[in-house]
Amino acid sequence: MNPESIVYRVAVWLIPLVIAIVFHEVAHGWVARALGDPTAAERKRLSLNPIRHVDPIGTVALPLILALAKAPVFGWAKPVPVNYARLRNPRRDMMLVALAGPGMNFALALAGAVLLGLAVASADGAQPGSVIGFVIENLFNFIAVNIFLALFNLLPIPPFDGGHVVQGLLPPPLAERWAAFGRFGFPLLFILLLVVPSIWPDANIVARLIAPPAQAVTGWYLAIASAIAG
């Protein structure tokens, strides 16, 4: 494998991202079902088959473009359906369902750190482009992607997970207005992430709000991997 080839560069980012976002979405459905809402299960969206969750733009096109541009890689899958009215305690359970996605990503990053430590310990001087080298790079990116995805989704903007947490904490009248604001979430995100930074670089949300804590938390997980690798 040529580590400088486009296929290699895309693979070491796309594989971790697809796994991260599929488990993120399915975690929402698992917790929703446990709390009384079987909607995702009824619609067969609790499968780990990526095809059931792929969004052509968020899961494929955008991550590919970002990977090729050597920019921070992120994306999204088709949201797992959740009917909050079917939850046993809608306001509380809505927050728990929302936090399940980022929580899953943090757990996956921990699993990735353990596997990375074991892979590095067994690499024994493997060269870049080798199978073990490919695995190690995937695991390194897997940790970074999961941490970034978790923190990105915790932004307090609807319809992100952080926005649902805010909605659950607000008094009912304000919560309804906040939920209605959710339909503007993705257009607002597009403006904040792409339009505003192109006009005013100092207002780059990813660089200023997400990247610093993501790098710090990733460093903690890599320290675990380093301890395991010995």
Side-chain angles (χ1 to χ4, degrees):
M1 291 180 283
N2 179 5
E4 299 302 321
S5 71
I6 292 178
V7 173
Y8 186 98
R9 300 313 311 162
V10 168
V12 296
W13 281 109
L14 192 59
I15 293 173
L17 180 65
V18 168
I19 296 173
I21 62 179
V22 166
F23 273 85
H24 177 106
E25 289 299 332
V26 172
H28 289 312
W30 283 339
V31 173
R33 182 174 61 178
L35 296 175
D37 174 29
T39 303
E42 292 170 351
R43 300 185 186 180
K44 303 186 186 303
R45 289 295 309 281
L46 296 187
S47 168
L48 295 178
N49 180 355
I51 295 176
R52 292 186 180 272
H53 305 281
V54 166
D55 179 286
I57 301 298
T59 315
V60 181
L62 179 62
L64 283 175
I65 293 171
L66 293 173
L68 293 175
K70 297 183 178 180
V73 176
F74 66 93
W76 59 83
K78 290 188 294 185
V80 166
V82 176
N83 184 346
Y84 294 110
R86 301 177 74 178
L87 295 170
R88 287 190 285 271
N89 186 333
R91 285 177 58 79
R92 181 204 65 190
D93 295 348
M94 172 175 59
M95 294 187 289
L96 296 176
V97 170
L99 291 172
M104 173 61 77
N105 290 128
F106 285 126
L108 289 174
L110 179 59
V114 172
L115 293 174
L116 177 61
L118 296 174
V120 170
S122 64
D124 194 25
Q127 297 299 313
S130 63
V131 173
I132 189 64
F134 179 76
V135 170
I136 288 173
E137 193 160 358
N138 265 278
L139 288 170
F140 181 89
N141 291 341
F142 185 68
I143 296 169
V145 164
N146 273 286
I147 296 301
F148 185 90
L149 190 62
L151 295 176
F152 188 77
N153 273 278
L154 287 173
L155 285 173
I157 303 172
F160 290 126
D161 299 327
H164 289 303
V165 173
V166 172
Q167 182 182 342
L169 294 173
L170 290 172
L174 290 178
E176 291 181 8
R177 295 181 183 180
W178 185 257
F181 178 65
R183 65 178 181 271
F184 302 110
F186 280 112
L188 177 62
L189 182 67
F190 178 82
I191 293 171
L192 290 176
L193 294 185
L194 299 177
V195 177
V196 172
S198 67
I199 300 172
W200 185 19
D202 288 341
N204 190 320
I205 289 180
V206 172
R208 290 188 171 272
L209 295 182
I210 305 298
Q215 291 171 355
V217 176
T218 300
W220 300 341
Y221 280 79
L222 292 179
I224 295 173
S226 179
I228 293 173

